[in-house]
Amino acid sequence: MERKETKKRGLLLVALFLGYTMVYIDKLSVGYSLIPISTEFGLEPAAKGMIMSAFFLGYAIMQIPMGLVINKVGSRVVLIGSVLGMGLFSFLFGFGTSLIMFMSLRFLTGLLAHSGYASSASKEVTMNFPPEKRTFAQGILLSSSGVAGFIGPLALSPIITNAGWKNAYLILTVLAVAIAIFLIIAIPRNEKAQEKAEAVATKTDKISILVIWSDIRVWVLFLSSFFINCLLYGLSSWVPSFLTGERGLDLNGAAVISSVGGLFMLIGSIGGSYVVGRFFQHKEKAIVAITAVLGAISAFGSYYIGNLVLLSIVMGLANFFLIISFVTMMSIPLRIFEGAKFAPSYGTLATGGILGGFVSPTLIGKLVELSNGQYISTFIFFLAVGLLTAVTIMFIKQK
């Protein structure tokens, strides 16, 4: 019986991991596709930033309502619908012809496709894994950002260069449909009974959103998530433009450097989550603060490095520290929120992260324009939000 349960958990974790990989590849694809799109349609840096930010605006608007939807219809339905939605909007994005159309499609992608995946996946972890294994399981899921960051640039760049950005989005559509089918097979169908039993055990079958928002821990995590995601999404969205613009690399060269960062993220997310879960339980906030500072300093220092090999390593270290900080931060809710409190609480703090993703690309676009195409102000911004992450997280009470 125990072996059978372990096998089911393993299959579920693989399915959720693939779905997460699709999430991150979809986010990553825009940073690369906008390079030829901006040339084809004559888009300025601010316009590129608006397209990136439109996604996060839709994502943020739907985040808290989606937490309530998950409680209502179950996480399984939301997970499958999210991945199918990514496929649909990837298909439509390939037919984009104007700034308004690109912005609208990315807005809808965030609003209807991405908004429910993270909360639903985390809820599946809380329902199917014991508490002592949740940090590592969450780390495995979030390590998909490293897999996507390593494989995505190396795959997307030659496809976009040789087949065009429109065909790249057709491929993403097929990938999303295949992953959705796997999710249908792998996710348990008895989740409503599990959720009901958990709610009875924790006496949280019904709960007001005002009760959720009265918990100061939710808002500490909200702000921390906002700052760290300003840095993470700023790096992932704008590093390709920085490398092809100010550093003069072609798209494939930028992809190689970005993929090195993705490899470091993969190592950090899996290794970091294992080490933190095994040796630093109940000390997570200190880990978040230390790695946020180290990641911010590494990101800032990379601006001044001219050697491309050394630049790749320092940017990789920035991604390594930042993903440990992010994964550790996102494991804290799995320990302090339970039952019906979990999805709305997680949705609220996730909204902070998504707002970081909304603010950062547009702000960076404006900073680049005001600096006449130079990125020094962008890297100062990275340093500032990294330090703010470290300061904010220290106010969380984990017990």
Side-chain angles (χ1 to χ4, degrees), residues 63-64 118-119 122 138 209 212-213 215-229 326 329-334 336-337 341-356 393 396:
Q63 194 60 207
I64 295 174
S119 296
S122 295
Q138 184 78 343
I209 192 65
I212 301 297
W213 288 349
D215 190 338
I216 189 63
R217 299 173 301 177
V218 171
W219 297 108
V220 171
L221 289 167
F222 176 96
L223 288 174
S224 302
S225 182
F226 173 82
F227 292 130
I228 193 71
N229 278 282
F326 176 70
M329 180 188 299
M330 299 312 288
S331 72
I332 294 175
L334 276 66
I336 64 177
F337 304 123
K341 287 184 177 181
F342 178 80
S345 299
Y346 194 95
T348 302
L349 67 95
T351 301
I354 296 158
L355 287 174
I393 196 63
I396 192 70

